[in-house]
Amino acid sequence: MDVGAKRILVTGGAGFLGSFLCERLVESGHEVLCLDNYFTGRRAKIAHLLDRPNFEVMRHDVCFPTHVEVDEIYNLACPASPVHYQHDPVQTTKTSVLGAINMLGLAKRTGAKLLHASTSEVYGDPAVHPQPEDYWGNVNPIGPRSCYDEGKRCAETLVFDYRRQHGMPVKVMRIFNTYGPRMNLDDGRVVSNFVVAALRGEPLQIHGGGKQTRSFCFVDDLIDGMIALMATPPDICGPINLGNPSEITVRSLAETVMRLTGGRSELRDTPALADDPRQRRPDIARAQKLLGWEPRVPLEQGLARTIEYFRRVLGNA
C-alpha cells in the first residue's frame, strides 16, 4: 500500500453515490473495501473497478456485524428513494439503525474515523427555508416516509452519542437531492423518473401540481464535499448540509428535461404524494466555511450528462 494510503470501507459501495466514491478513492491510491447487499446497489456500477488491485468487494448486509481492519468508514448503506425504502419499511429502519450501530461498533474497535451519510429528509416538510443544520425539522413519525426519515434521525442520534460517550472521530453529512449517471432505471427519484419517461416517450408524472421545489446537486460535486468532510480535523463533526442551493420547481424540472431530451411526452398531473415536502433547499454556509465547498456543475450541464447516460442504458436494454 502506498505511503499515505488508507484502508477504507464504503458501505453501500455498489450504489449510485457509493460507486462514485469508491472510484474516487481507488483512483487516489487507497485500499477500498466495498460492502453491499445489492438490494438497490448493482455490481455493474463497480465492474470497472473489479480488476484493480486496491479494490475489494464483499456481499454483506450492514444489519449484521462485520469484522475487518480499516482506517476510515463511509457509511452510505440504505435505500434512498421512496420506491425502494417503502418496499420494506421495517428493513429500511433496521438498515439505518442497526447499520449505524454496527459501523459505529466497528469504528470503535478499530479506531477508524467514521462518516455517516444522513439526509435532508431529517428536516421533513420544513417550516424553515432554506434549511440550516440547526433546524430540528418537521417530520411525521408515523407516515409512509417515516421508516427513512426517522431511521436516519435515529442514526444521527447514535453517531453523536458515540462521540459524546466514547470520544470517537465521527462526521455527519446531510445529503440533499443528488443526481447523475449510474442512477437505476427504476430508481423512483424525480430526475431519473423524468429522464427515463422522456426518453421512452411516456408521460412525465407531476405529483401535486409540481409547484413543490427541490435543489439538485450533481454527483461529482457531492463526492467532492463528502471527501472534504472526511478530511476535516476531529473537532468538525457536523452535521453539514451537502447540496445545491439553486432551487427549482418540479414542473420546471420536467420542462427542462423535455427540452434537453427533445422529447414530446405529456406532462401529466397526478395526486400529491403523502408527506411530500413542499420545499427543499440547503443552507450551505457551514460547508462553505468549514470545507471550502460549494457545487460547481450547473443543472443543465449535469442533466445533459445524466441524459446521455440513460440514452446508452436504454439503447442497450
Side-chain angles (χ1 to χ4, degrees), residues 124-248:
D125 186 6
V128 173
H129 191 73
Q131 292 80 60
E133 291 89 348
D134 56 4
Y135 174 53
W136 291 356
N138 178 37
V139 176
N140 177 0
I142 59 171
R145 301 169 70 105
S146 305
C147 58
Y148 185 66
D149 301 4
E150 295 289 33
K152 287 290 191 178
R153 286 163 68 94
C154 183
E156 285 197 19
T157 299
L158 286 162
V159 170
F160 283 99
D161 280 340
Y162 264 78
R163 173 180 168 81
R164 283 185 285 263
Q165 189 167 337
H166 302 293
M168 288 171 47
V170 296
K171 318 280 182 183
V172 171
M173 60 177 179
R174 291 176 176 166
I175 301 173
F176 283 69
N177 293 67
T178 306
Y179 70 99
R182 298 186 201 158
M183 298 179 84
N184 292 339
L185 280 172
D186 62 348
D187 185 81
R189 284 179 276 198
V190 66
V191 170
S192 54
N193 282 353
F194 284 171
V195 170
V196 171
L199 293 175
R200 286 175 168 168
E202 299 171 351
L204 277 64
Q205 308 287 340
I206 311 291
H207 296 292
K211 292 183 179 180
Q212 64 272 42
T213 66
R214 296 292 183 268
S215 304
F216 297 100
C217 184
F218 191 65
V219 60
D220 289 354
D221 286 332
L222 193 283
I223 300 302
D224 287 343
M226 191 184 303
I227 292 174
L229 176 56
M230 179 64 96
T232 54
D235 61 311
I236 297 177
C237 56
I240 290 184
N241 290 336
L242 292 179
N244 194 321
S246 297
E247 193 173 7
I248 185 174

Side-chain angles (χ1 to χ4, degrees), residues 60-125:
H60 186 81
D61 188 331
V62 293
C63 291
F64 301 94
T66 185
H67 303 284
V68 294
E69 300 299 323
V70 292
D71 303 307
E72 293 180 350
I73 301 168
Y74 288 85
N75 185 34
L76 274 60
C78 190
S81 73
V83 169
H84 292 128
Y85 67 64
Q86 291 175 6
H87 172 73
D88 188 344
V90 172
Q91 186 62 33
T92 294
T93 302
K94 285 182 176 180
T95 300
S96 286
V97 177
L98 295 179
I101 290 171
N102 287 326
M103 289 304 111
L104 286 161
L106 176 63
K108 180 170 179 282
R109 180 181 68 80
T110 61
K113 187 191 302 185
L114 180 140
L115 186 150
H116 176 71
S118 190
T119 171
S120 61
E121 297 295 335
V122 300
Y123 299 120
D125 186 6

Side-chain angles (χ1 to χ4, degrees), residues 4-69:
K6 300 182 179 70
R7 295 166 298 179
I8 302 177
L9 171 64
V10 180
T11 74
F16 165 49
L17 295 180
S19 66
F20 280 99
L21 176 62
C22 286
E23 181 178 81
R24 188 80 66 86
L25 295 173
V26 166
E27 293 296 338
S28 297
H30 299 294
E31 296 279 349
V32 178
L33 173 58
C34 165
L35 186 151
D36 207 296
N37 69 350
Y38 299 118
F39 175 59
T40 57
R42 299 289 183 270
R43 192 173 177 85
K45 297 184 193 299
I46 52 170
H48 62 297
L49 300 174
L50 295 176
D51 62 351
R52 298 292 292 268
N54 56 331
F55 182 72
E56 183 180 355
V57 183
M58 178 189 299
R59 184 166 192 154
H60 186 81
D61 188 331
V62 293
C63 291
F64 301 94
T66 185
H67 303 284
V68 294
E69 300 299 323

